[in-house]
Amino acid sequence: MLAIAAQIPREEIGGTYFQETHPDQLFRECSVYCELVSIPGQLPRLLQIAMRTAVQRGGVAVIVVPGEVFLADVPSAAITPVRTAYSVIRPDEAALAAAAGVLNAANAVTILAGAGCAGAHGQLIALAGALQAPIVHAFRGKEFVEYDNPYDVGMTGLIGFSSGYRAMEHCDALLMLGTDFPYRPFLPENVPVVQVDVRGEQIGRRVPVDVPLVGTVGATVDGLLPMITAKQNTAHLDRMTAHYRRARARLDKLARDRRNDSPLHPQFVAATIDRLAAPDAVFTADVGTPCIWAARYLRMNGSRRLIGSFSHGSMANALPHAIGAQASHPGRQVVALCGDGGLAMLLGELITLRQMRLPAKIVVFDNGALSFVELEMKAAGIVTYGTDLDNPDFAGMARAAGLFGARVDKAHELDDALREAFAHDGPALVDVRTVRQELSLPPKLTLGQIKGFTLYATRTILSGGGEELVELTKTNLRELEVE
């Protein structure tokens, strides 16, 4: 994407002029290219550079232009189209042989696969088969990795679940494919690591790497596979896939339909969205607990997409992401999983949906709280404070803005509301009242988190908040039923 940001007149820059900011500094950390155009003659060339950088690096390029530059004459410049250039990038034979040596010597290889596996699903599955390796995916890799994958053992990290964590914990070699997974406590220690990334400077940032392989995943695996000695021992794979089946069954039981539940459990809401959404739906998810439910309950199939603020973690991203996805793919179903806090920050964008006639579908997980922040506070031993949300009737506000709006208070109402919203010829919002005190436990509880939660409970009682603990207990008692 190319973003053109306006700047004040050049002669006023640096003098605290009206509306003065420095967009070239503001956007630098969240863009792949960001430059200020100082004179008119620069603009054609910098536009070309920005466009080329955006398409090659798959990100946002920003050109900051003082207003009067657009009104100036520039020397004629040759206009050439900017298209993505595709290359085959792979390591040399010596590096591939070193990697094969590590993987052939190991008895229990685990693969951690990320978004760099896009377009290389076939190679990923073939390599896992040769290595008899379970495949753990990072969040950004979910849509490219988990479908048609008999080696899938789920996701690890803070919002993952136990089987992904165990597959990493019990390996004796780790193969990282196209991922810059940032959470070091979830990576194994004292095992050899082979990492594949087309960006060589990214390798080894999270964990010491024994064999760095610079290349695209598909081309690298194509070169590596002939050097792999196919493994016959399936013990590690069998143990981890069995663990995944147990973990998956437990998660699915938490999402079962309790028709009179009011408010609803968010697992059931996410699972119902997954069941009713189109086979090629584009999902967007707000930072916070909607990401947890998307990671655990949306099923990818090779055609669906999952978009979120997975690098920067920006609040309120789901609705603007949905607007962008729907505008660029007008015939495709787009479903935004919004938190109530996130939607409240950008309520005006509901009018954008009407103004632009974008038929995106908004599902609000309405629990009256910044619930992911509350989870973090509980784990740190902090009494809940400042996270309450006194929400309006979001469905009523949607109707007032000219959208389809429905409110769901009981579980048996959800199917009909979602079906009607998805079938509506235009933008639609479904406001689902969900429980506030749902606990989404990470795959590994640290001693510090356990101590923190105990401290939170003690402090909550001493400060007169016993009713919060009662609600938390009642909400999560069903966790015991699925064990």
Side-chain angles (χ1 to χ4, degrees):
M1 176 177 173
L2 173 69
I4 299 175
Q7 177 58 295
I8 62 174
R10 287 169 295 171
E11 65 182 29
E12 300 292 351
I13 294 175
T16 63
Y17 189 73
F18 175 62
Q19 293 187 331
E20 179 171 1
T21 60
H22 290 84
D24 51 314
Q25 298 178 29
L26 289 174
F27 299 125
R28 193 168 303 281
E29 291 296 324
C30 57
S31 61
V32 296
Y33 181 87
C34 185
E35 290 296 340
L36 171 70
V37 176
S38 300
I39 60 174
Q42 284 182 290
L43 187 54
R45 184 169 62 90
L46 292 190
L47 279 174
Q48 290 278 114
I49 294 172
M51 292 176 185
R52 171 66 59 198
T53 306
V55 299
Q56 289 303 135
R57 295 185 57 186
V60 178
V62 182
I63 291 290
V64 181
V65 186
E68 77 275 15
V69 169
F70 277 119
L71 304 177
D73 294 327
V74 297
S76 60
I79 298 174
T80 56
V82 176
R83 301 187 179 94
T84 303
Y86 297 97
S87 301
V88 175
I89 304 172
R90 52 164 283 177
D92 63 13
E93 295 297 315
L96 290 171
V102 169
L103 298 173
N104 287 334
N107 294 313
V109 178
T110 291
I111 295 173
L112 175 60
C117 292
H121 188 268
Q123 289 97 327
L124 171 66
I125 300 302
L127 182 59
L131 294 171
Q132 294 297 302
I135 301 175
V136 182
H137 63 261
F139 198 5
R140 288 184 61 216
K142 176 181 171 72
E143 60 181 310
F144 308 115
V145 172
E146 75 171 6
Y147 70 94
D148 296 338
N149 183 352
Y151 309 100
D152 179 39
V153 293
M155 181 175 155
T156 189
L158 293 170
I159 62 176
F161 40 97
S162 58
S163 54
Y165 178 81
R166 297 303 175 196
M168 303 272 280
E169 181 185 37
H170 295 292
C171 71
D172 62 8
L174 176 66
L175 174 58
M176 300 174 67
L177 295 177
T179 178
D180 191 29
F181 181 79
Y183 302 109
R184 289 180 291 166
F186 290 89
L187 293 168
E189 298 178 351
N190 303 317
V191 301
V193 176
V194 177
Q195 184 174 2
V196 178
D197 202 304
V198 73
R199 308 157 300 172
E201 72 278 8
Q202 298 294 119
I203 294 177
R205 290 192 173 193
R206 315 301 179 189
V207 65
V209 170
D210 295 78
V211 184
L213 298 178
V214 178
T216 55
V217 171
T220 300
V221 173
D222 284 340
L224 181 61
L225 262 173
M227 301 182 183
I228 297 295
T229 302
K231 297 186 184 299
Q232 304 304 316
N233 187 344
T234 65
H236 176 58
L237 175 64
D238 292 343
R239 186 163 57 251
M240 295 307 143
T241 51
H243 195 320
Y244 172 66
R245 288 192 293 272
R246 293 193 299 272
R248 184 71 259 169
R250 182 179 181 277
L251 290 172
D252 291 342
K253 286 180 181 177
L254 290 173
R256 65 189 178 190
D257 184 357
R258 298 171 181 247
R259 300 195 59 77
N260 292 317
D261 275 357
S262 179
L264 287 69
H265 288 282
Q267 297 96 326
F268 172 62
V269 179
T272 306
I273 293 169
D274 173 72
R275 175 168 54 85
L276 298 179
D280 66 343
V282 178
F283 298 102
T284 68
D286 260 338
V287 164
T289 50
C291 274
I292 299 175
W293 315 130
R296 296 183 180 184
Y297 292 99
L298 296 183
R299 310 290 181 107
M300 299 293 105
N301 57 12
S303 297
R304 286 177 165 181
R305 295 295 315 274
L306 177 59
I307 299 169
S309 184
F310 301 146
S311 294
H312 289 99
S314 304
M315 278 191 69
N317 63 283
L319 180 49
H321 277 164
I323 289 172
Q326 192 71 86
S328 60
H329 294 78
R332 200 163 172 179
Q333 185 186 72
V334 176
V335 182
L337 281 63
C338 291
D340 45 2
L343 179 66
M345 292 173 68
L346 290 179
L347 274 173
E349 297 304 320
L350 296 180
I351 299 174
T352 301
L353 290 177
R354 173 180 174 166
Q355 180 72 24
M356 304 302 295
R357 294 176 172 80
L358 298 172
K361 315 305 179 186
I362 312 302
V363 182
V364 188
F365 288 72
D366 187 351
N367 60 9
L370 299 173
S371 50
F372 197 88
V373 177
E374 288 189 345
L375 287 173
E376 294 174 316
M377 294 171 75
K378 288 178 173 68
I382 301 172
V383 176
T384 302
Y385 175 78
T387 54
D388 293 309
L389 297 175
D390 185 6
N391 289 328
D393 179 356
F394 290 120
M397 297 183 77
R399 290 191 294 270
L403 282 64
F404 170 92
R407 174 172 164 170
V408 174
D409 290 298
K410 292 187 177 181
H412 70 266
E413 302 168 349
L414 183 62
D415 253 53
D416 289 344
L418 288 178
R419 289 181 189 277
E420 192 173 357
F422 289 171
H424 179 69
D425 185 19
L429 182 147
V430 180
D431 182 3
V432 185
R433 299 305 171 103
T434 57
V435 294
R436 175 172 179 170
Q437 298 293 344
E438 191 75 44
L439 289 177
S440 52
L441 299 179
K444 176 189 178 184
L445 286 173
T446 67
L447 181 60
Q449 289 169 329
I450 295 171
K451 287 181 177 178
F453 192 86
T454 304
L455 185 59
Y456 147 77
T458 303
R459 287 173 170 171
T460 298
I461 291 173
L462 293 176
S463 62
E467 71 283 352
E468 180 179 322
L469 290 180
V470 172
E471 181 186 348
L472 186 147
T473 303
K474 290 170 60 178
T475 297
N476 295 280
L477 271 176
R478 66 203 179 95
E479 295 265 1
L480 300 177
E481 299 173 13
V482 301
E483 292 296 339

